[in-house]
Short mmCIF file of all heavy atoms in Angstrom, two decimals:
data_model
loop_
_atom_site.label_atom_id
_atom_site.label_comp_id
_atom_site.label_asym_id
_atom_site.label_seq_id
_atom_site.Cartn_x
_atom_site.Cartn_y
_atom_site.Cartn_z
N TRP A 23 96.97 35.54 178.64
CA TRP A 23 96.82 36.68 179.59
C TRP A 23 95.98 37.82 179.15
O TRP A 23 95.15 38.26 179.80
CB TRP A 23 98.31 37.17 179.83
CG TRP A 23 98.34 38.48 180.64
CD1 TRP A 23 98.25 39.72 180.07
CD2 TRP A 23 98.41 38.56 182.06
NE1 TRP A 23 98.39 40.61 181.24
CE2 TRP A 23 98.41 39.94 182.31
CE3 TRP A 23 98.53 37.63 182.97
CZ2 TRP A 23 98.51 40.40 183.67
CZ3 TRP A 23 98.69 38.16 184.38
CH2 TRP A 23 98.59 39.43 184.69
N TRP A 24 96.24 38.21 177.87
CA TRP A 24 95.47 39.32 177.25
C TRP A 24 94.07 39.03 177.06
O TRP A 24 93.10 39.80 177.19
CB TRP A 24 96.17 39.90 176.03
CG TRP A 24 97.40 40.56 176.40
CD1 TRP A 24 98.71 40.20 176.20
CD2 TRP A 24 97.57 41.74 177.06
NE1 TRP A 24 99.59 41.12 176.62
CE2 TRP A 24 98.99 42.02 177.11
CE3 TRP A 24 96.69 42.72 177.64
CZ2 TRP A 24 99.50 43.30 177.89
CZ3 TRP A 24 97.21 43.81 178.25
CH2 TRP A 24 98.52 44.07 178.44
N ASP A 25 93.75 37.76 176.72
CA ASP A 25 92.35 37.34 176.61
C ASP A 25 91.69 37.42 178.01
O ASP A 25 90.55 37.84 178.09
CB ASP A 25 92.25 35.83 176.21
CG ASP A 25 92.44 35.79 174.55
OD1 ASP A 25 92.47 36.75 174.05
OD2 ASP A 25 92.59 34.66 174.14
N THR A 26 92.33 36.93 179.04
CA THR A 26 91.79 36.86 180.34
C THR A 26 91.68 38.27 181.06
O THR A 26 90.67 38.62 181.68
CB THR A 26 92.61 35.92 181.21
OG1 THR A 26 92.55 34.67 180.67
CG2 THR A 26 92.03 35.87 182.71
N ASP A 27 92.82 38.98 180.74
CA ASP A 27 92.90 40.39 181.47
C ASP A 27 92.20 41.54 180.64
O ASP A 27 92.20 42.57 181.21
CB ASP A 27 94.38 40.61 181.65
CG ASP A 27 94.55 41.77 182.58
OD1 ASP A 27 94.21 41.75 183.70
OD2 ASP A 27 95.15 42.83 182.19
N ALA A 28 91.64 41.24 179.47
CA ALA A 28 91.28 42.41 178.59
C ALA A 28 90.20 43.27 179.32
O ALA A 28 90.24 44.43 179.27
CB ALA A 28 90.61 41.75 177.30
N ASP A 29 89.25 42.56 179.97
CA ASP A 29 88.17 43.37 180.74
C ASP A 29 88.73 44.24 181.71
O ASP A 29 88.49 45.43 181.87
CB ASP A 29 87.12 42.46 181.27
CG ASP A 29 86.26 41.69 180.21
OD1 ASP A 29 86.40 42.01 179.02
OD2 ASP A 29 85.57 40.79 180.51
N ALA A 30 89.61 43.73 182.53
CA ALA A 30 90.26 44.41 183.64
C ALA A 30 91.12 45.54 183.16
O ALA A 30 91.04 46.72 183.56
CB ALA A 30 91.04 43.55 184.62
N TYR A 31 91.84 45.25 181.97
CA TYR A 31 92.72 46.20 181.56
C TYR A 31 91.99 47.45 180.94
O TYR A 31 92.30 48.57 181.17
CB TYR A 31 93.48 45.70 180.38
CG TYR A 31 94.52 46.59 179.69
CD1 TYR A 31 95.84 46.72 180.20
CD2 TYR A 31 94.23 47.32 178.60
CE1 TYR A 31 96.69 47.61 179.55
CE2 TYR A 31 95.04 48.07 178.01
CZ TYR A 31 96.25 48.33 178.42
OH TYR A 31 97.28 49.09 177.86
N GLN A 32 90.89 47.15 180.20
CA GLN A 32 90.02 48.28 179.72
C GLN A 32 89.36 49.01 180.79
O GLN A 32 89.15 50.28 180.65
CB GLN A 32 89.00 47.74 178.66
CG GLN A 32 89.63 47.31 177.27
CD GLN A 32 90.41 48.45 176.64
OE1 GLN A 32 91.64 48.37 176.50
NE2 GLN A 32 89.71 49.56 176.41
N ALA A 33 88.95 48.29 181.86
CA ALA A 33 88.23 49.01 182.96
C ALA A 33 89.10 49.95 183.63
O ALA A 33 88.80 51.11 184.06
CB ALA A 33 87.80 48.00 183.95
N GLU A 34 90.50 49.63 183.64
CA GLU A 34 91.46 50.47 184.38
C GLU A 34 92.00 51.53 183.58
O GLU A 34 92.24 52.69 184.01
CB GLU A 34 92.64 49.64 184.88
CG GLU A 34 93.70 50.28 185.74
CD GLU A 34 94.76 49.40 186.32
OE1 GLU A 34 94.69 48.20 186.09
OE2 GLU A 34 95.64 49.99 186.96
N HIS A 35 92.24 51.24 182.19
CA HIS A 35 93.04 52.13 181.35
C HIS A 35 92.15 52.71 180.27
O HIS A 35 92.58 53.54 179.53
CB HIS A 35 94.27 51.52 180.77
CG HIS A 35 95.11 50.95 181.81
ND1 HIS A 35 95.74 51.73 182.79
CD2 HIS A 35 95.59 49.70 182.02
CE1 HIS A 35 96.54 51.09 183.56
NE2 HIS A 35 96.47 49.73 183.18
N GLY A 36 90.98 52.26 180.00
CA GLY A 36 90.12 52.58 178.84
C GLY A 36 89.83 54.06 178.78
O GLY A 36 89.89 54.61 177.68
N THR A 37 89.53 54.73 179.96
CA THR A 37 89.30 56.11 179.88
C THR A 37 90.45 57.01 179.51
O THR A 37 90.37 57.92 178.78
CB THR A 37 88.81 56.56 181.25
OG1 THR A 37 87.56 55.93 181.59
CG2 THR A 37 88.49 58.03 181.35
N PHE A 38 91.70 56.59 180.00
CA PHE A 38 92.91 57.24 179.65
C PHE A 38 93.17 57.09 178.22
O PHE A 38 93.63 58.01 177.50
CB PHE A 38 94.13 56.69 180.51
CG PHE A 38 95.41 57.34 180.25
CD1 PHE A 38 95.71 58.60 180.93
CD2 PHE A 38 96.28 56.80 179.39
CE1 PHE A 38 96.92 59.10 180.65
CE2 PHE A 38 97.58 57.43 179.12
CZ PHE A 38 97.93 58.60 179.89
N LEU A 39 93.02 55.91 177.56
CA LEU A 39 93.28 55.65 176.25
C LEU A 39 92.28 56.21 175.20
O LEU A 39 92.53 56.58 174.14
CB LEU A 39 93.41 54.26 175.96
CG LEU A 39 94.63 53.50 176.71
CD1 LEU A 39 94.63 52.06 176.53
CD2 LEU A 39 95.98 54.00 176.20
N GLY A 40 90.94 56.37 175.79
CA GLY A 40 89.86 56.77 174.90
C GLY A 40 89.49 55.81 173.91
O GLY A 40 90.00 54.62 173.74
N ASP A 41 88.32 56.07 173.18
CA ASP A 41 87.82 55.18 172.07
C ASP A 41 88.38 55.60 170.81
O ASP A 41 88.53 54.75 169.93
CB ASP A 41 86.26 55.33 172.05
CG ASP A 41 85.61 54.35 173.18
OD1 ASP A 41 86.22 53.52 173.68
OD2 ASP A 41 84.40 54.58 173.37
N VAL A 42 88.68 56.88 170.63
CA VAL A 42 89.24 57.35 169.26
C VAL A 42 90.33 58.27 169.70
O VAL A 42 90.15 59.60 169.75
CB VAL A 42 88.11 58.03 168.56
CG1 VAL A 42 88.70 58.51 167.06
CG2 VAL A 42 86.87 57.18 168.29
N GLU A 69 98.39 49.01 162.61
CA GLU A 69 98.59 49.14 164.03
C GLU A 69 98.78 47.69 164.52
O GLU A 69 98.02 46.95 164.55
CB GLU A 69 97.35 49.84 164.85
CG GLU A 69 97.78 50.00 166.26
CD GLU A 69 96.63 50.51 167.17
OE1 GLU A 69 95.52 50.61 166.74
OE2 GLU A 69 96.99 50.79 168.27
N GLY A 71 99.81 45.00 167.38
CA GLY A 71 99.46 44.81 168.76
C GLY A 71 98.45 45.98 169.17
O GLY A 71 98.72 46.79 170.14
N ALA A 72 97.39 46.01 168.51
CA ALA A 72 96.53 47.24 168.59
C ALA A 72 95.64 47.28 169.86
O ALA A 72 95.12 48.36 170.22
CB ALA A 72 95.54 47.27 167.43
N GLY A 73 95.50 46.16 170.62
CA GLY A 73 94.61 45.94 171.68
C GLY A 73 93.23 46.39 171.33
O GLY A 73 92.61 45.81 170.42
N ALA A 74 92.60 47.37 172.01
CA ALA A 74 91.28 47.78 171.65
C ALA A 74 91.14 48.80 170.39
O ALA A 74 90.14 49.29 170.12
CB ALA A 74 90.59 48.45 172.86
N ALA A 75 92.35 49.06 169.81
CA ALA A 75 92.42 49.74 168.53
C ALA A 75 91.89 51.21 168.57
O ALA A 75 91.47 51.71 167.53
CB ALA A 75 91.56 49.05 167.52
N ALA A 76 92.10 51.86 169.68
CA ALA A 76 91.83 53.32 169.75
C ALA A 76 92.65 54.08 168.85
O ALA A 76 92.19 55.00 168.20
CB ALA A 76 91.99 53.83 171.19
N ALA A 77 93.88 53.69 168.69
CA ALA A 77 94.80 54.45 167.85
C ALA A 77 94.38 54.36 166.35
O ALA A 77 94.38 55.29 165.67
CB ALA A 77 96.20 54.01 168.03
N ARG A 79 91.41 53.73 165.30
CA ARG A 79 90.24 54.55 164.98
C ARG A 79 90.54 56.02 164.81
O ARG A 79 89.92 56.71 164.11
CB ARG A 79 89.17 54.23 166.02
CG ARG A 79 88.51 52.89 165.94
CD ARG A 79 87.34 52.73 166.89
NE ARG A 79 87.82 52.81 168.33
CZ ARG A 79 88.29 51.71 168.97
NH1 ARG A 79 88.38 50.49 168.32
NH2 ARG A 79 88.72 51.82 170.16
N ASP A 92 95.90 42.19 166.40
CA ASP A 92 96.29 41.87 167.69
C ASP A 92 96.22 40.31 167.80
O ASP A 92 95.40 39.74 167.03
CB ASP A 92 95.39 42.50 168.76
CG ASP A 92 96.06 42.52 170.12
OD1 ASP A 92 95.96 41.59 170.89
OD2 ASP A 92 96.65 43.61 170.47
N SER A 94 95.25 38.73 170.57
CA SER A 94 94.23 38.46 171.60
C SER A 94 92.87 38.78 171.17
O SER A 94 92.48 39.89 170.77
CB SER A 94 94.45 39.33 172.78
OG SER A 94 93.44 39.26 173.68
N ALA A 95 92.12 37.71 171.13
CA ALA A 95 90.60 37.82 170.72
C ALA A 95 89.87 38.64 171.73
O ALA A 95 89.00 39.45 171.50
CB ALA A 95 89.96 36.44 170.73
N GLY A 96 90.32 38.58 173.06
CA GLY A 96 89.61 39.45 174.10
C GLY A 96 89.90 40.88 173.86
O GLY A 96 88.92 41.65 174.07
N MET A 97 91.04 41.27 173.46
CA MET A 97 91.34 42.68 173.17
C MET A 97 90.58 43.15 172.00
O MET A 97 89.95 44.23 171.88
CB MET A 97 92.73 43.01 172.94
CG MET A 97 93.57 42.80 174.35
SD MET A 97 92.96 43.73 175.67
CE MET A 97 93.42 45.45 175.25
N LEU A 98 90.51 42.29 170.94
CA LEU A 98 89.76 42.67 169.72
C LEU A 98 88.21 42.71 169.91
O LEU A 98 87.61 43.44 169.29
CB LEU A 98 90.10 41.72 168.62
CG LEU A 98 91.48 41.68 168.11
CD1 LEU A 98 91.72 40.59 167.07
CD2 LEU A 98 91.82 43.06 167.41
N ARG A 99 87.76 41.91 170.91
CA ARG A 99 86.34 42.12 171.36
C ARG A 99 86.09 43.48 171.83
O ARG A 99 85.04 44.17 171.50
CB ARG A 99 86.01 41.06 172.38
CG ARG A 99 84.68 41.21 172.97
CD ARG A 99 84.26 40.03 173.88
NE ARG A 99 85.31 39.74 174.87
CZ ARG A 99 85.40 40.41 175.95
NH1 ARG A 99 84.59 41.30 176.31
NH2 ARG A 99 86.43 39.87 176.86
N HIS A 100 87.04 44.03 172.55
CA HIS A 100 86.94 45.37 173.10
C HIS A 100 87.06 46.32 171.96
O HIS A 100 86.41 47.47 171.86
CB HIS A 100 87.81 45.71 174.21
CG HIS A 100 87.46 45.18 175.43
ND1 HIS A 100 86.65 45.85 176.34
CD2 HIS A 100 87.77 44.08 176.14
CE1 HIS A 100 86.40 45.16 177.50
NE2 HIS A 100 87.12 44.02 177.32
N ALA A 101 87.82 46.09 171.03
CA ALA A 101 87.88 46.93 169.85
C ALA A 101 86.59 47.07 169.14
O ALA A 101 86.16 48.12 168.65
CB ALA A 101 89.06 46.50 168.83
N ALA A 102 85.89 45.95 168.84
CA ALA A 102 84.59 45.87 168.34
C ALA A 102 83.47 46.70 169.18
O ALA A 102 82.76 47.35 168.58
CB ALA A 102 84.14 44.51 168.13
N ASP A 103 83.67 46.49 170.46
CA ASP A 103 82.78 47.23 171.28
C ASP A 103 83.01 48.77 171.18
O ASP A 103 82.01 49.58 171.04
CB ASP A 103 82.83 46.86 172.80
CG ASP A 103 82.38 45.39 173.01
OD1 ASP A 103 81.74 44.88 172.16
OD2 ASP A 103 82.81 44.88 174.04
N ALA A 104 84.14 49.27 171.19
CA ALA A 104 84.50 50.63 170.99
C ALA A 104 84.03 51.08 169.74
O ALA A 104 83.72 52.36 169.48
CB ALA A 104 85.94 50.82 171.21
N ALA A 105 84.14 50.27 168.63
CA ALA A 105 83.70 50.77 167.28
C ALA A 105 82.18 50.97 167.31
O ALA A 105 81.68 51.92 166.72
CB ALA A 105 83.97 49.76 166.25
N ARG A 107 80.43 51.96 169.97
CA ARG A 107 80.23 53.14 170.81
C ARG A 107 80.50 54.44 169.97
O ARG A 107 79.86 55.46 170.09
CB ARG A 107 81.10 53.17 172.08
CG ARG A 107 80.72 52.21 173.18
CD ARG A 107 81.31 52.48 174.53
NE ARG A 107 82.81 52.33 174.34
CZ ARG A 107 83.49 51.27 174.58
NH1 ARG A 107 82.88 50.13 174.91
NH2 ARG A 107 84.80 51.30 174.50
N TRP A 243 100.10 54.41 186.44
CA TRP A 243 99.85 53.27 185.47
C TRP A 243 100.75 52.23 185.72
O TRP A 243 101.97 52.34 185.22
CB TRP A 243 99.94 53.77 184.11
CG TRP A 243 99.58 52.75 183.02
CD1 TRP A 243 100.07 51.45 182.98
CD2 TRP A 243 98.75 52.79 181.93
NE1 TRP A 243 99.70 50.79 181.82
CE2 TRP A 243 98.88 51.62 181.15
CE3 TRP A 243 98.00 54.02 181.28
CZ2 TRP A 243 98.22 51.45 179.97
CZ3 TRP A 243 97.41 53.75 180.04
CH2 TRP A 243 97.53 52.53 179.43
#
Side-chain angles (χ1 to χ4, degrees):
W23 172 273
W24 290 109
D25 282 349
T26 301
D27 193 59
D29 291 351
Y31 181 88
Q32 286 303 120
E34 184 174 0
H35 303 300
T37 300
F38 181 83
L39 294 172
D41 279 343
V42 184
E69 186 188 4
R79 287 188 296 276
D92 203 277
S94 167
M97 294 304 292
L98 291 175
R99 173 171 50 82
H100 280 279
D103 290 344
R107 287 193 301 270
W243 178 318

